[in-house]
Amino acid sequence: MSATESAPAPLEAETAEAPPRVVAVVVSFNRRDLLARTLAGLASGTMLPAAVVVVDNASTDGSAEFVRTLETPLSIDLVELGANVGGAGGFTVGIERAVLDHGADLVWVMDDDTEPHADTLAAAVDAWRRYAQAPEHRPTVLASHVVWSDGREHPMNSMRERLGVTAAQRRRAAAVGARPIRSASFVSCFLAGDAVRALGLPVADYFLWGDDFEYTTRLARFHDAIQVPGSVVTHHTKKFGTTDVDPGPRFYYEVRNRFWLYGRTHSLAPWERLAYTYATARIWARTFAKSSDRRLLAGCLARGMRDALRAPRSNAEVLAGIYPLRPVPELPPAAPLPAGEPFSLLLPVYDGDTAGRFRRALASSTAEQERPPAEAVIVRDGPVHADLQAALDDAQAIAGPATAVRVLALPANVGITAALDLGLGACSHAVVARADADDISLPRRFAAQLPVIEAGADLVGSAMEEIGDDEAAVLATRSVPTSPPQIRAAARARNPISHPTVVFRRAAAEAVGGYQSVPAAEDYWLWARMIAAGAAVRNLAEPLVRYRVSGGAYERRGGLRVLANDVATQDQLLAGGFITRADWLRNVGIRAVYRFLPTSVRAGRYRRMVAPRS
């Protein structure tokens, strides 16, 4: 054995995290002087955004010319729209540009009457980074503390604590000096770029009012959202007060958009819809009581209710002829790759894995492969026992000279989803193969899958063979749908692609937001988003992986806790628009029966229905 083969695996300790790429989005309409104050505030910050997208909503006061000729340290991307599409349309355009053209990790949105302070950005970024080690555990929405011109807290942008907040959410927020919220206004709000890539853009047809509430509640329904008191901005409205004081003709948008929000979106859980509907009715009652023109409000109410009977137009329809909107998420074209494309292997391990099985899994996925990976990124998810650490130290020798091994050692256990996403970011190559620490990859696995990726596929899985302690004894064969139509159809009912078998284009996964936390279904949620975005997906009928079914595996697939995870997954698929309400009812109903079957019956039904013997 050469010195290179016998050398301990290089241990990549935790390195200083690079600052997130923050892209500010400012939407402006005929308020040149206020826009100048906004941009001056951005430029005077102790931390500057990587870029500023200024969306000019067809202003006639010279705002666009002012921005074009402005001398500033800011990198400004000016978008001039040919028509006023309201705040909703402007933010739709600006956020699209921020994630697609500027690669934003955080999108910082604000109106043109918002003035950032020196530490507004720095305080928000600091809270976001300290909230959790892994980006997918961090808030998807952060709101600044908004004050009026005289320094008083602005009631128009006051944030209420999240309904039903958990003790853990309150504790995590308090640890960074923040508090948990459910929604935020677009007056200095930070949106996680991966959440935008996963769940799309605001609804442009709202025009104004409610678009920020719908969008931030959509992004934060299954994730945390916080308000950061140390991140302060001034909101230079003409009057100090809330929007329920004589809104005038704009009340029409409030009515129509609220009916759209409560009746046509999945941004809120059913119980939240009831709570917010009640709160809205009380606000409207106060609005009428205080109004000096109730006849006008009554007309707006009637028209808003009538127009809410139709669904909002698509963003592309709203912006047709005004801005060539691109879809978000947007998958890069799956162009053919050269034969022999190098690829990365992504393999997570944690303290519960055994050293012997890890050694076997790594060897089968590297040295024993007809076409081995160019590198193996092993994510050590927190400290591990001595035997497993010794195996990690031997990883380079196990993998052999054809595969460069890197171990990403996380100081604490962050869970499989975060470990995978951090590992994905550490992969060097455009194509990534997955393997688990106790499964066996058959020798021709990558030789069979990589040509399919090179021919233009974004994601390729395969059938699997179930094994127990004896890897030579095949217990069952899990077949899979193979054609794209079969995979798409199956995905509405169950996960059609086996995670330990996949090879995928890294850019395709990252374009839809990468791995994100869903209870026991982080892979299913990623595949669903890729399929919905038009990814080219395939499965090979040949079993290429031997999947280890440990003792008690089918017992663990039963019970109330597992059913609760099923419901959470189906809720996320429904809220993401991947399944219908009828699909949800069918899927939850089937799983409710399956989870409470006797273990022997459950194992048999699973193998017949989901993994039939070949």
Side-chain angles (χ1 to χ4, degrees):
M1 182 176 291
S2 70
T4 301
E5 289 176 302
S6 61
L11 185 66
E12 183 177 295
E14 183 186 25
T15 57
E17 181 185 1
R21 183 172 177 81
V22 181
V23 178
V25 174
V26 182
V27 175
S28 181
F29 175 65
N30 279 344
R31 293 195 289 202
R32 172 178 167 173
D33 292 342
L34 287 174
L35 175 61
R37 183 177 291 184
T38 298
L39 296 177
L42 287 170
S44 64
T46 57
M47 176 184 292
L48 299 184
V52 178
V53 179
V54 177
V55 181
D56 182 72
N57 244 333
S59 296
T60 57
D61 65 348
S63 292
E65 179 62 24
F66 162 74
V67 174
R68 278 197 298 271
T69 59
L70 179 66
E71 294 185 7
T72 177
L74 301 171
S75 174
I76 295 181
D77 177 8
L78 174 63
V79 184
E80 298 179 63
L81 302 181
N84 180 8
V85 293
F91 283 115
T92 297
V93 170
I95 294 170
E96 177 245 51
R97 208 157 180 110
V99 296
L100 295 187
D101 292 337
H102 299 287
D105 297 313
L106 285 172
V107 183
W108 183 14
V109 295
M110 67 194 75
D111 288 316
D112 56 6
D113 56 0
T114 304
E115 182 182 5
H117 295 194
D119 293 327
T120 305
L121 175 57
V125 168
D126 178 67
W128 187 73
R129 293 178 66 176
R130 289 192 296 114
Y131 194 86
Q133 178 185 353
E136 38 291 318
H137 291 166
R138 294 169 181 165
T140 53
V141 176
L142 299 90
S144 295
H145 177 63
V146 184
V147 299
W148 196 47
S149 303
D150 63 0
R152 288 180 290 171
E153 181 178 3
H154 206 311
M156 184 182 296
N157 310 111
S158 60
M159 307 296 166
R160 295 180 180 177
E161 186 174 89
R162 187 180 191 123
L163 295 174
V165 63
T166 66
Q169 288 174 318
R170 187 177 283 112
R171 185 171 58 252
R172 288 193 294 267
V176 296
R179 64 190 187 95
I181 57 175
R182 183 67 178 89
S183 66
S185 75
F186 279 171
V187 179
S188 190
C189 173
F190 296 82
L191 313 170
D194 279 344
V196 173
R197 294 179 184 94
L199 296 174
L201 299 169
V203 181
D205 209 16
Y206 275 51
F207 193 75
L208 58 86
W209 275 16
D211 53 308
D212 48 2
F213 181 84
E214 186 281 326
Y215 192 56
T216 56
T217 54
R218 191 198 319 168
L219 297 189
R221 178 172 174 186
F222 302 100
H223 302 276
D224 291 354
I226 59 174
Q227 184 184 37
V228 183
S231 175
V232 182
V233 297
T234 301
H235 193 191
H236 293 289
T237 57
K238 292 182 179 179
K239 296 180 180 179
F240 178 80
T242 61
T243 57
D244 63 353
V245 179
D246 258 353
R250 297 195 303 171
F251 187 59
Y252 161 79
Y253 295 105
E254 160 75 358
V255 173
R256 184 197 63 178
N257 295 352
R258 289 287 173 176
F259 273 95
W260 275 347
L261 172 64
Y262 300 147
R264 294 184 178 274
T265 74
H266 297 288
S267 298
L268 302 172
W271 69 269
E272 289 179 315
R273 294 188 195 188
L274 294 175
Y276 281 111
T277 298
Y278 173 71
T280 298
R282 292 185 61 190
I283 292 171
W284 288 358
R286 285 202 307 268
T287 301
F288 270 88
K290 297 177 181 179
S291 176
S292 60
D293 192 346
R294 295 175 185 170
R295 177 175 295 182
L296 172 64
L297 294 187
C300 291
L301 178 65
R303 288 191 298 112
M305 294 175 63
R306 179 199 66 200
D307 290 353
L309 295 175
R310 69 162 179 85
R313 294 173 295 167
S314 69
N315 286 347
E317 186 178 358
V318 172
L319 295 167
I322 301 171
Y323 179 83
L325 191 72
R326 295 159 291 178
V328 173
E330 181 186 54
L331 285 180
L337 297 171
E341 179 77 8
F343 67 99
S344 301
L345 176 74
L346 175 57
L347 195 160
V349 299
Y350 81 115
D351 190 55
D353 291 320
T354 65
R357 288 182 176 178
F358 164 72
R359 289 175 181 272
R360 185 72 190 92
L362 179 61
S364 72
S365 299
T366 53
E368 296 176 8
Q369 285 293 309
E370 297 175 10
R371 182 173 172 181
E375 74 168 356
V377 175
I378 303 171
V379 184
R380 195 199 71 184
D381 189 9
V384 296
H385 54 86
D387 287 346
L388 185 53
Q389 184 59 57
L392 288 169
D393 294 340
D394 289 341
Q396 184 63 71
I398 296 168
T403 302
V405 175
R406 292 192 296 139
V407 178
L408 180 62
L410 305 181
N413 180 271
V414 297
I416 182 64
T417 306
L420 287 172
D421 209 51
L422 291 168
L424 185 61
C427 290
S428 304
H429 298 293
V431 177
V432 177
R434 273 280 289 113
D436 282 336
D438 55 358
D439 299 333
I440 309 299
S441 292
L442 298 179
R444 61 173 264 98
R445 176 187 168 188
F446 300 139
Q449 290 179 302
L450 265 295
V452 183
I453 292 285
E454 291 164 350
D458 291 301
L459 171 66
V460 179
S462 78
M464 296 192 304
E465 294 174 337
E466 282 190 8
I467 58 173
D469 291 333
D470 182 0
E471 69 176 75
V474 176
L475 305 176
T477 298
R478 297 192 185 188
S479 62
V480 288
T482 54
S483 70
Q486 290 173 329
I487 294 172
R488 286 193 296 269
R492 301 181 71 88
R494 62 180 178 86
N495 188 346
I497 300 169
S498 299
H499 198 186
T501 73
V502 298
V503 178
F504 58 86
R505 296 188 188 222
R506 175 180 169 181
E510 291 178 338
V512 299
Y515 285 102
Q516 297 187 358
S517 296
V518 178
E522 74 286 338
D523 56 335
Y524 189 7
W525 179 227
L526 176 56
W527 315 151
R529 286 178 281 127
M530 291 177 68
I531 291 169
V537 294
R538 302 286 190 275
N539 270 323
L540 302 183
E542 177 185 359
L544 296 173
V545 170
R546 289 189 172 165
Y547 175 73
R548 187 93 58 179
V549 181
S550 58
Y554 286 103
E555 288 88 342
R556 291 192 295 271
R557 289 197 177 110
L560 188 59
R561 182 184 59 81
V562 181
L563 178 60
N565 288 342
D566 289 336
V567 173
T569 299
Q570 296 300 314
D571 283 347
Q572 192 131 346
L573 293 169
L574 176 64
F578 188 71
I579 62 173
T580 65
R581 176 61 66 180
D583 293 330
W584 186 97
L585 291 170
R586 177 199 62 207
N587 296 344
V588 170
I590 291 173
R591 285 161 175 78
V593 173
Y594 171 76
R595 297 306 181 192
F596 292 98
L597 290 173
T599 300
S600 59
V601 179
R602 185 185 306 121
R605 293 296 297 169
Y606 183 86
R607 285 170 171 163
R608 284 196 296 274
M609 293 169 48
V610 181
R613 186 181 295 274
S614 61

